[in-house]
Structures are given as C-alpha cells and as structure tokens.
Amino acid sequence: HHYFIALPIHHFLQALGFLIGGVGVAQARWVSLGGAFVVMWAACWLAYRWYGAEVSALAGVLLILWRSNLISTWPGLPLLTVARSGRYDVGGVAWIWLSIVFLDRTLRHRHWFNALATGLCAGLATLTQFFGAFVLPVIGIAWLSHHGWQDVRKPELTWIAVGILVTLGSYAVYGAHYPE
C-alpha cells in the first residue's frame, strides 16, 4: 500500500542516513539538523551578499535565538531545537533557501547549471513539505521582476522548468503507477 500524503524526500534522506550511520535516534535527526545548517548558511550568505556583514551576523543570531512558529508550539521553538526533533519541516525550508541561493546565482551569472539546480531544489522543496510549493511562484515573480516578460524564452528559465519537472514529474509517474 502506498501513502502519498507523506511526501518522500525527507524519508529518502533519512533512509540514506540510516544506511550510512546505522539505525538510531541520532541518525534520524541528521537530515533535519543538516537542513537547519543549510538554512543558516543560505540565509547568512544571502544577507551578506545583499546587505553586508552586519546584517548577515544579525540573521545568524536571529536564526539561532528566534522562537519561530514552524511547528505550532507556543511560544515557539528556535530553529535548532526544531531540527533536533527530526521533523521534516526544516528540510522543506532548507530546500526553499537552496532554491533561492541558486536562483540568485542564476540571475547574476545566467549559467544553465545554476538554473537547473534552482528547479531541482524547488521541486525537492515541494516534495519535502507541502509549503515548499510556495517557492515556485517566488521563482516566477523574482524572474519577472528581474527580467520582465521579454526574457521568458531565455534558456535559463527552461532549465529551471526542467529541474522542477524532473523532480515533480518523477513523483507524478510513481503516483500514476500506483493508483488507489
């Protein structure tokens, strides 16, 4: 039986962690802890690139100390505390931030690899947590605000679409293979 509501990427990465490190509670937390470090790196790197070292440091401190409402607990939990729980929410946020990092690189360097990585990360965000799909319109809006409608035929946008279609299309094919 197949349960399609639980999206697969976090579980695949957790299984990979079990293969590498054995089965245990610590290994189950590796994926979400890695996701938290990706979020911290990506947010701080982009803040540094866009606004400077002071804002980057502030972003890092806030990510460590700020009590977010990522998993609906009052008064909220800091990012690393949520990540230690092994939940898949952090992974969705991490793929979103990676997608934004690669989108930023695509808009600056216009290289097909960065564009493909943007699409792959956006697709993986969507297949990790449902809110990950919100990065898709963000990519479109950022592209249009940076280039306008005249650049919708650029090859980089095609590579972004290929990356999204590879990830989401493979899951759609899998789902179509097991209709229930």
Side-chain angles (χ1 to χ4, degrees):
H1 297 278
H2 302 282
Y3 188 68
F4 292 106
I5 292 175
L7 295 170
I9 299 303
H10 179 79
H11 304 294
F12 285 144
L13 293 175
Q14 240 178 4
L16 181 63
F18 292 149
L19 284 173
I20 293 169
V23 178
V25 174
Q27 293 86 339
R29 295 176 176 171
W30 286 356
V31 175
S32 57
L33 281 171
F37 287 112
V38 166
V39 169
M40 290 173 47
W41 167 80
C44 291
W45 185 80
L46 287 173
Y48 177 77
R49 195 184 107 45
W50 294 339
Y51 302 108
E54 296 84 9
V55 174
S56 177
L58 178 63
V61 168
L62 287 175
L63 280 170
I64 291 171
L65 299 177
W66 189 271
R67 295 179 166 275
S68 72
N69 199 19
L70 185 60
I71 60 170
S72 298
T73 59
W74 189 87
L77 296 172
L79 177 65
L80 293 177
T81 304
V82 174
R84 281 192 358 221
S85 70
R87 289 181 54 94
Y88 52 88
D89 307 278
V90 179
V93 176
W95 289 115
I96 289 170
W97 275 99
L98 280 175
S99 176
I100 293 169
V101 165
F102 282 114
L103 177 64
D104 177 66
R105 291 183 55 80
T106 301
L107 294 174
R108 285 187 300 126
H109 299 299
R110 300 186 73 105
H111 192 269
W112 70 270
F113 176 80
N114 293 324
L116 179 64
T118 300
L120 289 172
C121 290
L124 292 171
T126 303
L127 291 179
T128 301
Q129 173 56 289
F130 290 109
F131 64 70
F134 288 107
V135 76
L136 300 174
V138 168
I139 290 170
I141 291 167
W143 183 272
L144 290 175
S145 70
H146 193 266
H147 292 290
W149 286 102
Q150 67 272 17
D151 280 350
V152 295
R153 293 186 183 205
K154 293 286 183 184
E156 293 84 8
L157 196 56
T158 302
W159 282 109
I160 291 172
V162 166
I164 292 168
L165 290 174
V166 163
T167 52
L168 298 183
S170 62
Y171 193 60
V173 168
Y174 174 74
H177 188 68
Y178 297 103
E180 294 182 28

